Amino acid sequence: MIQSPKSPGKKLRMAYYDPEHETMTREKLEQLQLERLKTTVKKVYRAVPFYKKAFRDKGIEPGDIKSLSDIRNLPFIYKQDLRDNYPFGLFSAPLDRIIRLHASSGTTGKPSVVGYTKKDISNWADLIARSLVMAGGDKNDIIQVAFGYGLFTGGLGTHYGVERLGAAVLPMSGGNTARQLMLMQDFGTTILACTPSYALFLAEEGIAAGIDFKKLPLRAGVFGAEPWTENMRSQLESKMDITALDIYGLSEIMGPGVAMECQAKQGSHIFEDHFIAEIIDPDTGEALPYGQRGELVLTTITKEGIPLLRYRTRDISTLHPEKCACGRTHMRMKRVTGRTDDMLIIRGVNVFPSQVESVLLEFGETEPHYLLVVDRKGDLDDLEIWVELSEKMFFDEVKQLEKLESRIRHKLLSVLNINVKIKFVEPRTIPRSEGKANRVMDRRDLMKK
Ligand code: DLL
């Protein structure tokens, strides 16, 4: 048992869920990774024409993978490749073995779709259970899942892991803050899982409503799906009287539970018995040494539905292979500090400026000049889209404009899955750029949080 420094009264259990795999020697772990990599490579080569072609283009065959470092000869996979093969073109398992589909937003139009076999769902549940044990969880816990349920992997992914652990899952999904706080108190939630920004919002709404979090059994938070900082961690820990830990993941690779922070809080352990991690220079594609900042590239080595080789996550981080104070041998990734593309994360939802553009172009009643203005109102992200009106529209009746605003807003809600505000601005007021257009004004200063 260790005591949370912020919560002297609330002890967090320190344990392993799967000690054999979590504390494997590096040598054994790398042996296991190589075996699993070879199997995965053979499987995708056989099952997916896309891979066969990509291997041929690189002049390699599955048999060329003889050591772990040979992974560097494999082709990269990009989000665009999933879209080009929409919806199921990159699946390695036939549809009769797929039991779940999830999707995440693409840069425009179609999302990237992922499929899971029974085994994939079971492995995922194990990795979430492993993550929850890292946060001190066990079967006695009541775990409130306030990640969104649906196509997003956060809600259902975490849900199955809580059940696998044998704890009680409270499947709240996101939003409905007053109800979240009521049930948290009435049921005695012990672990909260949601985005860090929503957790801060819950904390502040709770405090404003007179809740004394010190008196609640809540003792840990498992927060992720968007970038956050040490500063946000201290706020969450002191406001909610918990230990707050980071969970990382992405739908293409699995969902939450690709990596999870332990109580040593020195970065998140990437679950290397299921994923191989590399850091590369995003411009050259060359591998970078441990400790150096670059783009995280992940290869799945146990997935059946849609295994991915060398997936370019676009997330910027660093890797640290040294053994951790917690005893786990899996290497750690430091907090994601940014992305190599223009994807924004608004209230945990991925948004690409190009998605907004394609909606505006569909309407054709506005100019193709727009700006995404992202702000943080209180603890919640706020997205306002400034759209330039054409000269003709500018002189239209207010009623007419209100109608157009509502149509655009509804369409954006269905495409992006979040509510946005639309602000029409006068013709020629959005600054033009001479180079690459700057479509985003991000006023959130995370470092202040
Ligand atoms: O966000 C899966 C997830 C759900 C992770 C719940 C953790 C908790 P996607 O919607 O595909 O999947 O978005 C993946 O979100 O590439 C990162 O840019 C960002 N992201 C996820 N977790 C973190 C984190 C889920 N802990 C994208 N810190 C990723 C920073 C994160 N960014």
Side-chain angles (χ1 to χ4, degrees):
M1 292 267 190
I2 62 158
Q3 289 208 334
S4 160
K6 301 278 180 189
S7 321
K10 296 180 180 177
K11 290 179 183 171
L12 285 200
R13 207 172 60 103
M14 273 248 266
Y16 302 122
Y17 174 73
D18 177 358
E20 184 198 335
H21 289 106
E22 290 174 67
T23 61
M24 249 178 175
T25 62
R26 243 342 311 137
E27 201 191 336
K28 278 215 166 120
L29 184 58
E30 290 184 0
Q31 238 170 12
L32 180 72
Q33 286 187 318
L34 180 59
E35 262 166 49
R36 291 181 168 178
L37 176 67
K38 284 180 175 172
T39 311
T40 302
V41 166
K42 275 187 206 135
K43 195 160 55 182
V44 297
Y45 184 83
R46 219 181 315 120
V48 189
F50 169 88
Y51 277 107
K52 196 165 269 172
K53 179 172 183 310
F55 275 52
R56 286 208 179 125
D57 289 348
K58 284 215 118 200
I60 53 163
E61 289 193 346
D64 296 335
I65 302 298
K66 297 198 169 74
S67 71
L68 267 187
S69 58
D70 290 336
I71 197 172
R72 292 182 188 164
N73 301 324
L74 293 173
F76 289 122
I77 304 294
Y78 299 84
K79 199 178 184 81
Q80 185 62 32
D81 295 322
L82 276 95
R83 294 195 54 234
D84 291 346
N85 292 281
Y86 177 85
F88 308 142
L90 291 191
F91 286 15
S92 284
L95 269 183
D96 64 359
R97 293 193 51 223
I98 300 291
I99 61 159
R100 173 101 63 86
L101 295 163
H102 280 285
S104 82
S105 44
T107 47
T108 47
K110 304 290 188 194
S112 23
V113 183
V114 283
Y116 302 77
T117 63
K118 217 174 204 171
K119 185 87 200 312
D120 290 334
I121 294 288
S122 176
N123 283 340
W124 189 11
D126 273 330
L127 291 185
I128 293 288
R130 192 190 278 188
S131 306
L132 293 168
V133 170
M134 288 167 88
D138 67 19
K139 62 182 179 7
N140 298 303
D141 280 294
I142 296 183
I143 303 182
Q144 185 161 342
V145 180
F147 284 121
Y149 279 62
L151 284 179
F152 177 56
T153 51
L156 280 167
T158 311
H159 184 106
Y160 276 61
V162 177
E163 290 190 348
R164 175 61 52 90
L165 183 62
V169 60
L170 184 52
M172 295 299 294
S173 198
N176 220 335
T177 303
R179 205 177 169 77
Q180 301 260 8
L181 289 168
M182 179 180 84
L183 298 188
M184 180 184 285
Q185 296 174 85
D186 294 350
F187 293 2
T189 298
T190 50
I191 298 178
L192 172 66
C194 62
T195 60
S197 54
Y198 190 55
L200 257 184
F201 186 67
L202 278 171
E204 298 203 329
E205 291 289 295
I207 291 166
I211 296 176
D212 181 357
F213 282 95
K214 284 203 171 56
K215 296 211 174 107
L216 296 187
L218 189 69
R219 63 175 201 285
V222 174
F223 303 133
E226 63 185 11
W228 54 307
T229 58
E230 281 308 309
N231 207 323
M232 277 173 87
R233 177 179 352 242
S234 8
Q235 288 210 32
L236 282 163
E237 294 195 329
S238 65
K239 288 194 161 97
M240 287 192 144
D241 193 39
I242 55 171
T243 297
L245 298 171
D246 195 8
I247 186 162
Y248 170 84
L250 58 164
S251 15
E252 289 84 355
I253 293 299
M254 181 179 77
V258 171
M260 171 74 195
E261 199 174 33
C262 67
Q263 293 168 36
K265 296 180 177 167
Q266 294 298 313
S268 296
H269 290 279
I270 297 182
F271 295 141
E272 287 190 273
D273 46 338
H274 295 266
F275 312 104
I276 299 179
E278 301 168 80
I279 288 281
I280 61 156
D281 175 328
D283 298 322
T284 64
E286 289 306 314
L288 293 175
Y290 290 133
Q292 211 156 310
R293 186 173 300 279
E295 182 180 338
L296 179 68
V297 169
L298 292 169
T299 297
T300 68
I301 50 174
T302 52
K303 279 212 15 215
E304 297 181 335
I306 176 168
L308 290 181
L309 302 180
R310 303 194 87 201
Y311 183 70
R312 299 281 298 254
T313 66
R314 299 296 187 193
D315 290 322
I316 304 286
S317 182
T318 55
L319 289 180
H320 304 268
E322 309 82 32
K323 194 168 169 177
C324 179
C326 72
R328 288 179 183 83
T329 48
H330 295 189
M331 68 171 93
R332 283 157 291 148
M333 60 181 276
K334 283 286 160 84
R335 282 184 187 284
V336 172
T337 53
R339 294 193 42 97
T340 66
D341 61 8
D342 56 359
M343 184 179 94
L344 293 162
I345 305 184
I346 315 277
R347 280 171 257 146
V349 177
N350 304 345
V351 173
F352 288 95
S354 46
Q355 291 175 290
V356 173
E357 179 165 314
S358 57
V359 167
L360 294 177
L361 288 177
E362 249 175 63
F363 281 88
E365 287 155 85
T366 57
E367 292 291 319
H369 301 293
Y370 63 93
L371 192 64
L372 276 69
V373 182
V374 194
D375 227 324
R376 195 156 267 207
K377 299 260 162 77
D379 298 308
L380 286 186
D381 298 330
D382 183 76
L383 174 60
E384 190 170 82
I385 298 173
W386 295 4
V387 186
E388 218 176 87
L389 287 174
S390 63
E391 296 279 355
K392 184 182 147 291
M393 288 300 290
F394 186 61
F395 293 105
D396 269 4
E397 280 177 38
V398 175
K399 246 198 184 146
Q400 202 77 353
L401 288 180
E402 277 174 359
K403 267 195 201 147
L404 177 63
E405 187 267 347
S406 149
R407 276 163 51 221
I408 297 181
R409 199 159 30 82
H410 280 99
K411 179 72 194 185
L412 282 170
L413 173 64
S414 74
V415 171
L416 304 178
N417 266 316
I418 51 165
N419 265 307
V420 299
K421 293 190 195 105
I422 307 289
K423 180 171 148 185
F424 288 131
V425 298
E426 290 180 31
R428 289 182 308 281
T429 45
I430 289 181
R432 309 296 196 251
S433 154
E434 287 177 0
K436 203 167 136 64
N438 190 5
R439 304 294 197 192
V440 178
M441 192 196 296
D442 199 339
R443 294 161 160 171
R444 294 174 293 187
D445 192 349
L446 277 181
M447 301 322 281
K448 281 195 189 135
K449 275 281 161 199

